[in-house]
Amino acid sequence: MLEIARSGGGSRFEQTFKNLDDVLWKEAGCTTELDYTEQSSWMLFLKYLDDLEQERALKAELEGKPYKFIIDKDHRWSVWAAPKKTDGSFDHDKALTGDDLIEYVNGKLFPYLHGFKQRAEGPDTIEYKIGEIFGEIKNKFQSGYSLRDALELVDELRFQSQQEKHELSHLYEEKIKRMGNAGRNGGEYYTPRPLIRAIIQVVNPRVGQRIYDGAVGSAGFLCEAYDYLMKEKLSTTQLKVLQSKTFYGKEKKSLAYVIAIMNMILHGIEAPNIIHTNTLSENLADVQDKDRFEVILANPPFGGKERKEVQQNFPIRSGETAFLFLQHFIKMLKPGGRAGIVIKNTFLSNMDNASVSLRKLLLETCNLHTVLDCPSGTFQGAGVKTVVLFFEKGAPTRKIWFYQLDPGRNLGKTNPLNDDDLNEFVELQKTSASSPKSWSVDVKNVDTTTFDLSVSNPNGRKVEAHRSSLEIIEEIAELDSETAEALDRIKALL
């Protein structure tokens, strides 16, 4: 069913998601794709939690055991959000709406849920996650009637079967993708999934290894790594290890933290090990062996500027956020650990002291075996070119294999990166083969005063791709249809 959804076919829940977006679009308190995703997330989370609790309670009953609900009776979804009559139909007489609903959600529900953070036994529990989420997120609905419509739509969704979770995770990913494509600060939460899948294939994590992303965003790397590992035939013990002792992440921003938790839950990880913190506020000198990981996969934010007191935590001081993250990742890898990190391509050639020192550190302490050079347009709306660094910690670099990704077309909103674009890279990387798009560089030939790694492809001529007239017309048509749709929505409100 997931594959059908991915290939453009509909799913049972697709219309519900569209209807939910329509409700959010008309709500005065929600003005951006970020708001739509945030508000959908807290409702989806509470519906998921209710389905999970009902499932656990039924299982306990069948086994003749008592079940202690996490959420008390007054605050359960089935009481305030979706009360039902004995025949299972919606009970509109009992359902709060209008100002009463807004007052309850803001004044009672959210404070109750936030209180779980203090009551939880530890940060790795679902209770703690509930408290953390509802301490960070705010209800932005101003109309209790709009919120009532949204809750009834979310109640139509089901989280009971794996198939249902697959469908919902796909739809949620689409929502995150739209948020990323909407530009502004939405883009920093979304790394193209085909690129993530290719990175994971090269790094090849195994069950039993701990996987870490210190700039977790929407948790795309961790979710795709989970899907990758789930393709194997796993024992019950291995499945438990995947659930609780495999995926770890840190995220600074409140909205991204909530989206990451929800995304991982929809993929099947019940209590994600995501911590809401500024990763860069940790002093590298304090990192101990027990804190380190076998696999690191990440696309840290670039272009950000960190304050002086944050820079003090790093041996190589830089205002560039991505450079601090790269030092963090090198330090957080266990000896023999493997990493796939996205970074601006200027990292390979910048001549400032921090860039030179960082390249020297990477080459001397890790085996930087592969560099994937990504074309413009790989990241929607980002406006920067990127490379992916693949390295293993513990031995110096002797030879670097470069691959220049060229899909043969201009990438953009109407023509995004796909899995087929990366197949050749994944295949050739296994043997570091030379080709018109790939070549190797011996580190002995790298200038040791600059450590400049911006080597141009000796095997092929770099052709500047120009968009065809048809491609430009198609993009104009798509933008026109989006404008027309927005105008229709505005007309409907008048």
Side-chain angles (χ1 to χ4, degrees):
M1 189 68 195
L2 178 62
E3 291 309 315
I4 294 170
R6 274 195 172 153
S7 63
S11 79
R12 287 173 298 164
F13 301 138
E14 198 166 352
Q15 192 57 48
T16 305
F17 262 65
K18 283 179 181 169
N19 294 343
L20 183 59
D21 273 350
D22 282 340
V23 171
L24 288 160
W25 199 86
K26 292 168 186 169
E27 165 56 45
C30 301
T31 56
T32 67
E33 285 283 357
L34 273 77
D35 292 336
Y36 304 163
T37 308
E38 176 188 56
Q39 297 304 297
S40 303
S41 296
W42 74 256
M43 290 183 287
L44 281 168
F45 180 78
L46 291 178
K47 173 65 169 109
Y48 158 79
L49 198 57
D50 193 64
D51 278 10
L52 178 70
E53 293 237 74
Q54 300 295 346
E55 192 182 310
R56 286 177 174 177
L58 183 61
K59 187 181 175 190
E61 191 182 328
L62 292 171
E63 292 171 354
K65 296 175 184 173
Y67 177 71
K68 188 176 184 298
F69 277 82
I70 297 168
I71 307 293
D72 71 25
K73 192 171 181 182
D74 291 345
H75 298 98
R76 272 177 223 156
W77 178 271
S78 50
V79 172
W80 70 271
K84 304 282 178 21
K85 295 176 184 174
T86 49
D87 64 357
S89 62
F90 209 92
D91 191 340
H92 289 279
D93 294 329
K94 281 189 182 175
L96 291 170
T97 193
D99 291 344
D100 291 343
L101 180 57
I102 297 295
E103 204 173 292
Y104 166 74
V105 168
N106 293 344
K108 293 182 181 174
L109 179 67
F110 273 49
Y112 163 76
L113 295 170
H114 179 39
F116 272 99
K117 189 171 176 179
Q118 281 69 47
R119 298 191 294 270
E121 289 178 5
D124 57 348
T125 59
I126 197 162
E127 287 85 351
Y128 188 91
K129 303 297 175 201
I130 295 166
E132 184 84 339
I133 286 171
F134 288 93
E136 295 304 331
I137 214 163
K138 298 286 179 281
N139 166 43
K140 289 188 178 171
F141 279 90
Q142 293 172 8
S143 163
Y145 299 101
S146 293
L147 178 54
R148 167 52 51 210
D149 290 343
L151 291 168
E152 289 183 27
L153 285 166
V154 171
D155 191 59
E156 293 173 15
L157 305 172
R158 295 283 175 273
F159 294 83
Q160 263 100 10
S161 73
Q162 203 53 46
Q163 182 182 327
E164 287 164 340
K165 284 181 188 171
H166 270 318
E167 290 180 24
L168 286 164
S169 69
H170 168 68
L171 290 165
Y172 194 68
E173 280 278 353
E174 283 298 313
K175 190 176 273 293
I176 297 168
K177 184 177 180 180
R178 284 206 311 277
M179 183 180 75
N181 289 347
R184 289 189 295 279
N185 54 347
E188 67 195 63
Y189 303 140
Y190 190 76
T191 306
R193 297 317 185 237
L195 179 62
I196 289 178
R197 286 191 281 273
I199 292 170
I200 290 168
Q201 284 181 72
V202 170
V203 176
N204 191 26
R206 314 308 314 153
V207 178
Q209 295 175 336
R210 298 197 315 155
I211 302 168
Y212 172 67
D213 182 350
V216 88
S218 61
F221 278 100
L222 299 183
C223 289
E224 290 291 346
Y226 175 79
D227 289 348
Y228 178 80
L229 293 171
M230 282 294 286
K231 288 174 186 169
E232 298 179 33
K233 192 171 174 60
L234 303 176
S235 66
T236 308
T237 306
Q238 286 176 315
L239 285 169
K240 280 183 183 170
V241 167
L242 270 197
Q243 274 292 334
S244 58
K245 294 178 180 172
T246 300
F247 304 101
Y248 297 83
K250 290 172 187 164
E251 176 53 48
K252 177 182 175 181
K253 297 197 172 178
S254 302
L255 175 57
Y257 170 79
V258 174
I259 291 169
I261 296 268
M262 193 67 235
N263 204 14
M264 290 179 75
I265 280 171
L266 286 172
H267 275 78
I269 301 158
E270 285 182 8
N273 299 310
I274 307 293
I275 299 169
H276 184 219
T277 184
N278 181 359
T279 306
L280 301 180
S281 65
E282 300 164 28
N283 195 313
L284 285 199
D286 297 335
V287 174
Q288 299 173 37
D289 193 55
K290 65 178 176 59
D291 305 319
R292 294 191 170 106
F293 298 88
E294 287 86 359
V295 174
I296 296 180
L297 305 163
N299 173 18
F302 25 79
K305 295 293 173 197
E306 291 298 330
R307 298 186 311 276
K308 287 280 191 291
E309 63 266 29
V310 171
Q311 295 181 39
Q312 303 294 326
N313 294 321
F314 297 87
I316 300 168
R317 288 172 191 171
S318 169
E320 168 59 64
T321 306
F323 288 5
L324 301 180
F325 265 109
L326 186 54
Q327 291 178 72
H328 172 80
F329 293 139
I330 292 169
K331 185 78 171 181
M332 293 297 283
L333 264 187
K334 280 181 178 287
R338 309 180 305 290
I341 310 294
V342 181
I343 201 163
K344 280 196 298 190
N345 73 342
T346 51
F347 165 74
L348 300 177
S349 57
N350 277 356
M351 287 301 155
D352 59 283
N353 289 339
S355 299
V356 173
S357 300
L358 195 46
R359 288 196 294 272
K360 181 175 189 287
L361 173 74
L362 182 60
L363 293 174
E364 290 180 354
T365 62
C366 300
N367 174 22
L368 175 65
H369 55 81
T370 300
V371 173
L372 169 63
D373 182 24
C374 299
S376 297
T378 300
F379 289 82
Q380 304 299 320
V384 293
K385 281 198 70 184
T386 56
V387 292
V388 186
L389 309 174
F390 295 89
F391 53 90
E392 190 170 315
K393 186 171 173 179
T397 306
R398 308 231 176 271
K399 190 172 278 191
I400 308 169
W401 183 73
F402 287 80
Y403 183 91
Q404 197 163 50
L405 182 62
D406 177 10
R409 66 185 191 284
N410 277 82
L411 298 176
K413 191 175 176 184
T414 57
N415 217 343
L417 196 68
N418 62 52
D419 289 299
D420 289 343
D421 293 330
L422 289 141
N423 284 344
E424 183 186 74
F425 160 69
V426 172
E427 201 50 45
L428 293 180
Q429 194 277 335
K430 292 171 185 173
T431 56
S432 302
S434 287
S435 76
K437 297 179 189 174
S438 60
W439 67 98
S440 293
V441 170
D442 197 315
V443 171
K444 284 187 291 192
N445 299 325
V446 170
D447 185 335
T448 53
T449 55
T450 64
F451 294 94
D452 185 353
L453 298 177
S454 60
V455 186
S456 58
N457 183 354
N459 299 334
R461 192 165 53 88
K462 178 71 177 169
V463 179
E464 189 60 47
H466 295 284
R467 291 192 295 172
S468 68
S469 303
L470 185 61
E471 282 176 318
I472 294 167
I473 290 165
E474 281 175 354
E475 182 160 352
I476 291 169
E478 182 169 327
L479 291 169
D480 282 349
S481 71
E482 285 175 7
T483 305
E485 190 181 329
L487 288 172
D488 285 344
R489 280 173 158 175
I490 291 165
K491 281 178 194 169
L493 293 175
L494 297 175

